[in-house]
Amino acid sequence: MKKWFWVFSAVLVAGVFAIYGQTGWFEQLSYDDEGYTATCRFVKDGLSIVNVLESFKDLTWGGIYMPITYTSYMTVISLFGPAHGPQHLVSVLFHAVNAVLFFVFLLRLIAVRPIVQSNNPNSRTIFICFLAAALWAWHPLRVESVAWIASRKDTLFTLFTLLGLFSWLRGRRLLTYFLMLCGCLSKPTAMVFPVLAFCVEVLAYPAALTGISPFSRFRTSTSSQSHTPTFSHYILKYLPMLVLAAATAFLATYSQTHGDGEAARGLFYSTFSWRILNAAVSLGIFFYHTVVPVGLQFWYRPIRGGIPLHTALGLISLALVTGGFLLALWKCRAHRRTLLMTALWFCAAISPTLGIAGSFGNHAFADRFTYVPMMALSILVVLVAQDGLVSRRILACGLLLFSLSIIPFSFFYARTYRNNMTAFENVARWDPGHAYAWTNIGSE
């Protein structure tokens, strides 16, 4: 099985570079790329102790506190100069590493998880883990996070999040807290880590802390420990992470509300009712684009003070997904834990960007916001296959066909990020009334 692991990992990485290798010849975009690199006073000159310390001291640059991400930009500049290609390719490399880590994470999750149907795992389940990771890594919704230099923070905080979850499964708390801290310093969205760790622990319990190998699940015998944690046990485990999450939320709020110029945003930019509607529509559009990756663009425009763009489509998609989820909860009572925990993963991971508790502008939906939330779908697919709820053969064939079919969509959508002109031309193509897009096209 280790041989197949390396084969599948190589295919994952090859798929990522087949889609995104072209970004090595892309330019940077005027929106955020320049502000994070070429015009950032502590990044543009490359890596130095002074610049690194300044990135940690400045809480408001760009309206987001992410010193580790800034440090990664500095490092690339010092190694390869100010050219844009290396910055793109480093983001691609991070995404490729994340794809392999997510594949291993899925393998480990089924390794430590109690057996539901059989003590003899079907080889198709292993293949499904690969396909589920490929679905996430190759999907067109990943393009913005990988092809846009300014979205390096997504790939970087996800790297630390996945490593933190591995550490958590092995019961290494101090290492987990440190990795969560690194994630939060890469992008404040990493504050959701405690919820993700809880989801993983509930799904993997009771074998989650036995420290067995990711490949031990492929053997015929497994062992687990009978242990019922107390309330104080959970408090001691999760309290440090919750404190770190609260501190990160405070820093994120401060950065957004005290940024210079256009970087500053009011905490309650829109009315509460509009934020609820905007969040619901955003969720629905996300579900729709997951299945139908058409109409993706660099900048989705909500209508300020009115109904968000694609309201009907978003609400109908959200209603269908919600109805299907409730029906699954009712019909599959023995698997409610799996359904609820994957739903909690998705909701927690997407919540910082929805703007319900506090809206930073009116931009509640963007492709990059789906980078970690969509992992919930892949996790659900793998666990459904392991539990035997769906024929593994049919599921594997469906995943294979869909994963291969979306590669051309991702490849050609990534090409729209070549430069300002192509990025905003794509926006105007799908949203002809987008004034900001036409302004940038005119400038070019």
Side-chain angles (χ1 to χ4, degrees), residues 129-175:
C129 285
F130 157 71
L131 291 176
L135 171 65
W136 174 80
W138 299 344
H139 198 280
L141 284 172
R142 305 289 83 73
V143 168
E144 183 172 284
S145 294
V146 184
W148 186 27
I149 295 175
S151 212
R152 169 85 56 78
K153 51 187 177 289
D154 293 302
T155 58
L156 199 51
F157 101 83
T158 303
L159 172 66
F160 289 118
T161 296
L162 288 172
L163 291 175
L165 291 175
F166 281 121
S167 176
W168 188 247
L169 281 174
R170 291 184 177 275
R172 298 173 180 174
R173 298 185 191 176
L174 292 180
L175 180 59

Side-chain angles (χ1 to χ4, degrees), residues 28 62 77 97 116 125 136 145 222 243 278 309 313 321 325 367 433:
Q28 66 178 8
I77 290 175
V97 172
V116 177
T125 305
W136 174 80
S145 294
T222 58
V243 171
N278 199 31
L309 193 64
L313 175 64
V321 171
F325 176 75
D367 297 349

Side-chain angles (χ1 to χ4, degrees), residues 24 57 67 69 97 105 112 188 250 287:
K57 287 168 54 180
T69 300
V97 172
F105 170 77
V112 299
F250 173 79
F287 293 135

Side-chain angles (χ1 to χ4, degrees), residues 253 256-257 265-272 275-276 351-364:
T253 303
Q256 287 279 355
T257 55
R265 294 289 185 269
L267 183 58
F268 300 107
Y269 188 75
S270 305
T271 64
F272 181 73
R275 298 201 306 271
I276 291 290
S351 61
T353 62
L354 290 180
I356 296 178
S359 60
F360 305 121
N362 54 6
H363 200 61

Side-chain angles (χ1 to χ4, degrees), residues 44 73-87:
K44 62 182 180 179
Y73 292 135
M74 299 177 208
T75 304
V76 174
I77 290 175
S78 291
L79 292 176
F80 305 105
H84 311 312
Q87 294 285 4

Side-chain angles (χ1 to χ4, degrees), residues 303-315:
I303 302 174
R304 178 70 183 99
I307 298 176
L309 193 64
H310 302 319
T311 300
L313 175 64
L315 294 179

